[in-house]
Amino acid sequence: MTTQDRGTDPAISGKPTSAARTTLSHIMTGNDTNLLGTVHGGVIMKLVDDVAGAVAGRHSGGPAVTASMDEMAFLEPVRVGDLVHVKAQVNWTGRSSMEVGVRVLAERWNESTPAVQVGSAYLVFAAVDGDGKPRPVPPVLPETERDRRRYQEAQIRRTHRLARRRAIMELRQNRAAEGIED
């Protein structure tokens, strides 16, 4: 797929996936817990949004705002004392939007056991200018087979997002045409 196929500006040079890849690490404390004594999902989601925003800003070369979170999967509980690593990269780019994939890993702060994946998420960011208007982003250039797979999977997620949005808008229009108020 060329940049012209995606509607991106061919004058903007692409950036490799590794150019914006980032990891944020944080030790979980008692302040981060929920009523069950494990780390609150919202705390993890904030870390996910923070690192994804940093990656989107780095890739786009300026401000980027969270447009949506497609999916946040919690695979294992996170405990007080866990050292959490939140890793993110740009998987796909459009004209002004980017999908950022995030993996969340946790390890005990005082043990030498390997980190375990405890979560994952996909977020869409929109690059904006000083007035909050969309601005163009550089195309992402996948470097590895894994990056190319992520790029292709991101295109599938985008297709599903757009189809879901169209179906919902169509349903709402049909309900409004039938005089049904929500």
Side-chain angles (χ1 to χ4, degrees):
M1 175 172 278
T2 67
T3 57
Q4 299 249 336
D5 295 332
R6 293 185 304 117
T8 58
D9 185 343
I12 300 176
S13 297
K15 288 186 177 180
T17 307
S18 62
R21 193 176 285 143
T22 301
T23 300
L24 171 69
S25 296
H26 187 77
I27 292 180
M28 298 291 109
T29 68
N31 292 332
D32 301 318
T33 60
N34 59 27
L35 296 175
L36 298 175
T38 56
V39 173
H40 196 288
V43 171
I44 301 297
M45 290 175 77
K46 168 115 173 55
L47 295 173
V48 164
D49 191 45
D50 286 347
V51 75
V55 165
R58 278 183 164 187
H59 181 83
S60 69
V65 296
T66 310
S68 70
M69 178 182 274
D70 275 5
E71 181 178 316
M72 176 75 217
F74 296 100
L75 307 173
E76 297 285 336
V78 176
R79 302 172 295 161
V80 170
D82 280 352
L83 177 57
V84 172
H85 307 286
V86 188
K87 300 175 177 252
Q89 74 174 46
V90 173
N91 290 334
W92 177 90
T93 53
R95 280 187 299 269
S96 61
S97 64
M98 300 157 275
E99 183 196 88
V100 178
V102 181
R103 288 182 51 215
V104 183
L105 300 113
E107 61 181 311
R108 294 306 293 166
W109 70 273
N110 60 346
E111 297 175 8
S112 59
T113 56
V116 174
Q117 184 171 352
V118 296
S120 64
Y122 298 102
L123 297 90
V124 176
F125 279 79
V128 294
D129 63 18
D131 296 324
K133 303 291 184 204
R135 62 181 175 79
V137 300
V140 67
L141 305 174
E143 299 172 278
T144 67
E145 278 307 312
R146 178 181 278 180
D147 293 341
R148 284 184 274 286
R149 175 186 54 80
R150 289 177 176 167
Y151 183 91
Q152 291 171 329
E153 290 173 358
Q155 288 178 304
I156 293 168
R157 283 186 291 274
R158 180 175 189 272
T159 299
H160 288 199
R161 274 192 306 275
L162 294 175
R164 183 176 61 235
R165 182 181 301 153
R166 276 192 303 274
I168 289 169
M169 295 308 291
E170 184 178 310
L171 176 65
R172 289 178 181 176
Q173 290 171 352
N174 291 341
R175 289 176 59 85
E178 293 171 5
I180 301 171
E181 291 186 32
D182 288 336

